[in-house]
């Protein structure tokens, strides 16, 4: 049966004061998909993720999640309904331990056996976090902090994971590791919307992609179609 898309965004606009950051954005993400959102610096990628998570208000348009209009829900309610965001720059709590950062990710769920089970699940996904569970998060390397940020988002048991530039500032080997983790989470059933400057790597693992340019969706297609698209090659993959 066709249950319709998990996420459906229609005619979305967003502004910072008088500055328009998103114009008439339409996107759809189906359950189980890994979708990449690519575009240059300042195209509006972070703004789009923030309007989906409720961190940034939309000025017009609708956001439906699992058939329900969530456009007016507060950010915390959206987390509870199954949307978790890994913000740009990770934003982990540096002075707190790894374990406490993970516990915070479950704040909409409180405490209990289910949360303990998920902490164990995150430690299984990221054995390094288990080893360092009592260390302060600020002492972790950049790649480890990114893993912690992903682990913290997973503690909300999301059905849709919004990832903002997870490869930012990481060495190539770590980037490969992070992309492998993203693929694995998606294979395990978590629907993912991935924002990346690293367009080729993101499109290579994506079912579908969207290209955002100065606040508007310019192209959409399968990951493979977009990688092969001449405009994408020229503008984002550094090829003639
Ligand atoms: P980056 O990869 O650099 O984060 P992006 O594609 O995520 O880029 P956004 O950060 O969403 O782009 O920015 C979109 C536009 O909105 C840009 O023109 C940016 O200057 C502007 N903008 C972003 N945040 C603010 C803000 N807090 N106040 C005013 N303008 C903003």
């Amino acid at each position: 049966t066709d249950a319709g898309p998990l996420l459906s965004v229609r005619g979305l606009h967003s502004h910072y004061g008088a500055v328009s950051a998103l114009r008439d954005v339409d996107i759809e993400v189906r359950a189980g998909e890994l979708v990449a959102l690519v575009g240059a610096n300042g195209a509006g990628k972070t703004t789009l993720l923030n309007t989906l998570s409720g961190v940034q208000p939309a000025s017009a348009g609708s956001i439906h999640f699992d058939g329900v209009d969530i456009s007016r829900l507060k950010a915390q309610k959206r987390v509870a309904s199954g949307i978790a965001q890994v913000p740009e720059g990770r934003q982990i709590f540096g002075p707190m331990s790894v374990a406490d950062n993970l516990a915070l990710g479950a704040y909409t769920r409180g405490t209990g056996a289910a949360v303990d089970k998920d902490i164990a699940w995150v430690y299984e996904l990221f054995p390094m976090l288990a080893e360092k569970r009592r260390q302060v998060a600020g002492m972790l390397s950049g790649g480890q902090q990114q893993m912690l940020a992903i682990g913290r988002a997973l503690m909300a048991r999301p059905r849709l994971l919004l990832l903002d530039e997870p490869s930012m500032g990481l060495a190539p080997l770590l980037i490969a590791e992070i992309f492998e983790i993203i693929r694995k989470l998606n294979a395990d059933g978590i629907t993912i919307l991935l924002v990346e400057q690293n367009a080729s790597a993101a499109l290579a693992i994506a079912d579908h992609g969207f290209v955002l340019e100065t606040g508007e969706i310019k192209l959409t297609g399968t990951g493979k179609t977009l990688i092969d698209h001449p405009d994408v090659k020229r503008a984002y993959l550094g090829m003639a």
Side-chain angles (χ1 to χ4, degrees):
T1 60
D2 186 359
L6 182 62
L7 178 75
S8 173
V9 174
R10 288 278 169 270
L12 195 72
H13 291 252
S14 188
H15 294 82
Y16 295 100
V19 179
S20 159
L22 294 176
R23 281 184 301 284
D24 204 20
V25 167
D26 291 345
I27 63 167
E28 269 190 4
V29 177
R30 307 202 141 266
E33 276 187 331
L34 198 172
V35 172
L37 179 67
V38 301
N41 258 332
K45 304 181 300 296
T46 294
T47 302
L48 179 50
L49 288 195
N50 286 348
T51 55
L52 298 178
S53 64
V55 170
Q56 160 82 10
S59 32
S62 68
I63 303 165
H64 282 81
F65 182 63
D66 210 5
V68 177
D69 188 345
I70 60 160
S71 329
R72 295 179 187 285
L73 288 187
K74 288 205 169 73
Q76 187 176 337
K77 287 260 163 65
R78 297 192 202 190
V79 175
S81 79
I83 301 178
Q85 183 178 21
V86 179
E88 188 171 20
R90 297 146 204 159
Q91 299 177 28
I92 51 137
F93 301 98
M96 291 173 49
S97 71
V98 166
D100 287 345
N101 269 271
L102 291 177
L104 269 180
Y107 76 102
T108 58
R109 304 167 60 197
T111 53
V115 170
D116 291 345
K117 198 163 156 247
D118 288 345
I119 291 192
W121 169 57
V122 168
Y123 284 151
E124 209 176 293
L125 278 168
F126 303 103
M128 173 278 306
L129 293 181
E131 276 167 38
K132 298 187 185 274
R133 72 221 294 166
R134 309 219 178 281
Q135 295 193 21
V136 294
M139 296 297 285
L140 301 179
S141 72
Q144 292 168 346
Q145 290 187 10
Q146 185 62 62
M147 290 176 197
L148 177 57
I150 294 172
R152 184 183 55 185
L154 292 176
M155 290 303 298
R157 273 276 165 190
R159 283 182 290 158
L160 175 64
L161 187 62
L162 308 174
L163 292 169
D164 199 347
E165 303 271 9
S167 78
M168 191 169 62
L170 302 184
L173 260 178
L174 272 171
I175 293 178
E177 207 176 309
I178 291 283
F179 272 85
E180 188 48 41
I181 287 161
I182 293 168
R183 260 172 29 88
K184 183 175 187 309
L185 291 173
N186 180 242
D188 286 349
I190 300 176
T191 307
I192 292 176
L193 181 56
L194 169 65
V195 159
E196 265 294 336
Q197 297 244 23
N198 196 336
S200 55
L203 292 172
I205 61 168
D207 298 302
H208 277 92
F210 293 93
V211 177
L212 195 62
E213 245 177 66
T214 56
E216 294 178 36
I217 299 290
K218 276 291 144 72
L219 284 171
T220 177
T222 63
K224 167 130 186 50
T225 310
L226 290 179
I227 283 183
D228 293 337
H229 195 288
D231 293 352
V232 174
K233 282 188 171 167
R234 189 170 48 241
Y236 305 108
L237 305 181
M239 293 176 224

